[in-house]
Amino acid sequence: MRRYLLPLSAGLALASGCAHYQPRPLSPEEGLHRLEERGFPDPGLRAFMERATGSRFEAWPPARLDFEQLALAALYFHPSLDVARAQWEVSRAAGRSAEARPNPTVNLQPGYNFSAAGGATPWIPGLNLDWPIETAGKRGRRIDRAAHLTEAARLGVFQAAWQIRASLRTALLDLAAAWRRESLLERQAEISRGLLGVLDQRLAAGAVSQLEVAPFRTAALKVASDLAESRRAAQEARVRVAEALGVPVQALGGIELGVELGASPSVTPDPDPASAHRAALQNRADVRALLEEYAAAEAGVRLEIARQYPDVHLGNGYQWDQGESKWTLGIGLELPVLSRNQGPIAESIARRGEVGARFTALESRVLAEVDRALAARRTAREQIGRAHV
């Protein structure tokens, strides 16, 4: 009986170190409840913003938040950043899988001798251990590929954060423009109503005719229509701000959004296009992430080429043959006579080409975005200059 205690103890020890399944079901109702509860009173948001800014808030939630504070709130609430972080965690877990070494296998071979001599046990138990040894640096290739994919996913978090910030800035500028337009149209509508009041008095006194008053009524109706459209646009812009923050629009109630339009054009000169192109290609997170994906594809090609070479299996066997202990040692490997891994090699090379094509397309798109931004900046400066003349 004692001979079974050691294997049994080893099996129990291995089982105790295994991970166990923990269910985490998704519920649309619970998700809706969590989303509807998002808002600035969240104490977690306060702790996050105080850590990020290094300062404490006297009152919470604050009555007014500027753009940088709103950007921090967006980073705290927006679900797309959670998606990017989750993808990063998946890549990190894949990195741990790539570092793992193949486990040895054990094979029990009970035997029975029907011609055993009298007095000798007929049982011939055997035990074989197989120790796989990876060759051609396959593990290192796997680790290298996983490291590049993990770095690409990490840069994806920065890209998601930048997109959240950019979307928030655009939404706030649209809201500020809608507010400014609404304010101007309200003043224009008030002036139109006052002018129509005076004209109605003159019309009643017979000083003017209906034909003379009609153009002013039409203009007043146009101003009223524009004002209604401006208010609708302001409501839509407010909804887009809430979307950029990752909160329901009701959460913006009671919070003054610190968004202002510039009063004068920037006096800084336009950047050199070549310098702007170079800076964008060197610093944008999506460009750097795709470069990491290409490096991972390169490592994938090296890995598949290394898999042409078979791994070595060391076999260690023991057999108890009717009172005699017998040991064996063997070396095994796969014979690459029917397949030399040519299919996976071709796939990895094609995948590398696909990532390279995506990178060229991304470079072209980035350069076009920079050119459009520079052109829009020049046009805006000219328009502001004409408006100030």
Side-chain angles (χ1 to χ4, degrees):
M1 186 68 182
R2 292 181 180 178
R3 71 181 66 177
Y4 302 106
L5 291 179
L6 182 58
L8 181 60
S9 301
L12 292 175
L14 290 174
S16 64
C18 294
H20 300 281
Y21 170 70
Q22 296 180 353
R24 294 187 62 180
L26 281 177
S27 171
E29 292 78 10
E30 292 181 3
L32 176 62
H33 181 67
R34 287 195 301 268
L35 290 175
E36 290 179 339
E37 283 190 338
R38 285 185 174 182
F40 293 97
D42 187 343
L45 174 62
R46 178 178 187 174
F48 173 74
M49 293 181 65
E50 287 180 346
R51 287 196 306 269
T53 60
S55 59
R56 294 187 59 82
F57 292 91
E58 297 297 333
W60 189 263
R64 185 180 188 278
L65 291 172
D66 60 22
F67 171 73
E68 294 299 333
Q69 292 168 336
L70 288 171
L72 289 175
L75 295 179
Y76 180 81
F77 284 122
H78 208 283
S80 65
L81 198 58
D82 295 332
V83 173
R85 292 195 189 100
Q87 291 172 342
W88 185 22
E89 285 299 320
V90 171
S91 296
R92 294 173 65 184
R96 291 193 292 271
S97 298
E99 294 175 357
R101 299 179 183 274
N103 287 319
T105 58
V106 60
N107 182 22
L108 298 176
Q109 296 177 333
Y112 188 88
N113 185 4
F114 289 94
S115 302
T121 175
W123 291 101
I124 312 173
L127 177 69
N128 290 323
L129 291 176
D130 180 49
W131 299 87
I133 300 176
E134 291 185 299
T135 61
K138 297 184 184 69
R139 180 171 177 268
R141 305 301 187 205
R142 287 199 312 271
I143 294 174
D144 186 31
R145 179 176 179 272
H148 286 297
L149 291 176
T150 300
E151 180 62 14
R154 188 185 73 87
L155 291 169
V157 176
F158 289 97
Q159 176 65 13
W162 179 257
Q163 289 177 344
I164 290 171
R165 183 183 175 92
S167 298
L168 176 63
R169 182 182 292 277
T170 300
L172 287 173
L173 288 175
D174 290 343
L175 180 60
W179 282 345
R180 179 74 63 86
R181 177 175 171 80
E182 182 180 350
S183 176
L184 293 174
L185 287 173
E186 285 177 348
R187 291 172 55 190
Q188 189 174 354
E190 183 179 356
I191 294 172
S192 296
R193 287 192 298 269
L195 180 59
L196 278 178
V198 173
L199 290 174
D200 286 338
Q201 292 177 1
R202 297 188 66 186
L203 180 63
V208 294
S209 65
Q210 287 283 0
L211 188 60
E212 293 174 304
V213 178
F216 294 95
R217 291 192 189 280
T218 303
L221 290 174
K222 178 67 167 57
V223 171
S225 176
D226 291 344
L227 179 59
E229 175 62 23
S230 178
R231 287 172 176 166
R232 184 197 63 79
Q235 290 298 325
E236 288 187 359
R238 187 177 178 85
V239 172
R240 288 197 297 271
V241 169
E243 181 183 5
L245 287 168
V247 299
V249 70
Q250 295 83 0
L252 300 181
I255 298 293
E256 180 184 354
L257 303 178
V259 51
E260 299 176 356
L261 294 176
S264 60
S266 173
V267 296
T268 57
D270 291 337
D272 176 60
S275 300
H277 291 163
R278 186 164 51 253
L281 294 178
Q282 290 177 349
N283 299 315
R284 279 185 49 152
D286 54 349
V287 175
R288 294 172 57 192
L290 201 51
L291 281 174
E292 291 295 334
E293 286 189 38
Y294 187 80
E298 284 274 17
V301 174
R302 292 194 293 268
L303 174 61
E304 296 302 334
I305 289 177
R307 283 175 175 166
Q308 294 180 109
Y309 305 97
D311 296 333
V312 175
H313 293 261
L314 294 181
N316 186 13
Y318 169 79
Q319 186 180 48
W320 189 72
D321 185 2
Q322 302 181 82
E324 297 181 3
S325 295
K326 298 180 179 180
W327 294 89
T328 59
L329 179 64
I331 299 178
L333 52 86
E334 178 185 355
L335 295 178
V337 294
L338 300 179
S339 172
R340 293 294 301 272
N341 206 44
Q342 296 303 310
I345 290 174
E347 289 181 24
S348 64
I349 293 175
R351 191 176 299 112
R352 180 181 61 182
E354 183 262 341
V355 177
R358 284 168 50 203
F359 181 76
T360 302
L362 177 61
E363 278 189 313
S364 178
R365 186 170 69 250
V366 168
L367 297 183
E369 289 176 359
V370 171
D371 291 337
R372 284 197 301 269
L374 292 176
R377 187 176 190 269
R378 288 192 296 269
T379 302
R381 285 166 59 94
E382 293 171 358
Q383 291 175 345
I384 293 175
R386 287 194 297 268
H388 281 266
V389 173

